[in-house]
Amino acid sequence: MNIIKGDKIKVLSGKDRGKTGKVTKAIPTEGKVVVEKVNVVKKHKKAKGGAPGERISLELPINVSNTQLICSKCKKPTRVGKKKVGGKMVRICKKCEAEI
Ligand SMILES: [Zn+2]
């Protein structure tokens, strides 16, 4: 998985197609990411005891294959490449080849 927490991504399919947002959580074992304000569902929390019920918004994970990373340099959605720099693997933008 080439997307990590803190990345900015664009959603390619689903009801939030075209939206961009920041990855707040990456779940590599499931190949999913949670993205700010993307795939939001509203849930009702029932009133319990003396506390009133409330509506809460929850961001559900989306498949990483439905997202594309937005390069911080050229600001375009891009595929992610990998390059070895100083013995370390870094992610690069396939469009402008900047390190991500
Ligand atoms: Zn770029």
Side-chain angles (χ1 to χ4, degrees):
M1 200 158 101
N2 287 324
I3 309 263
I4 55 171
K5 188 178 161 181
D7 282 344
K8 234 187 141 192
I9 59 95
K10 182 172 184 168
V11 183
L12 301 178
S13 64
K15 72 181 170 84
D16 290 313
R17 192 164 116 185
K19 271 195 192 174
T20 57
K22 205 172 104 183
V23 175
T24 53
K25 194 178 173 190
I27 314 164
T29 49
E30 292 177 38
K32 288 180 175 178
V33 286
V34 179
V35 186
E36 231 170 37
K37 297 189 177 66
V38 167
N39 205 20
V40 177
V41 291
K42 296 250 195 273
K43 287 209 165 173
H44 289 276
K45 226 169 129 185
K46 274 196 184 145
K48 227 196 298 180
E54 54 180 334
R55 292 180 71 174
I56 53 167
S57 296
L58 204 66
E59 286 147 355
L60 295 182
I62 57 170
N63 266 315
V64 78
S65 58
N66 292 336
T67 68
Q68 199 163 34
L69 186 73
I70 295 175
C71 172
S72 51
K73 270 265 165 59
C74 63
K75 314 280 180 207
K76 287 183 191 132
T78 181
R79 299 224 331 261
V80 180
K82 291 211 166 153
K83 201 169 79 173
K84 219 169 184 177
V85 176
K88 201 174 84 179
M89 284 302 264
V90 295
R91 299 183 306 162
I92 56 160
C93 166
K94 287 237 178 178
K95 287 201 172 128
C96 70
E97 304 204 333
E99 270 182 47
I100 301 172

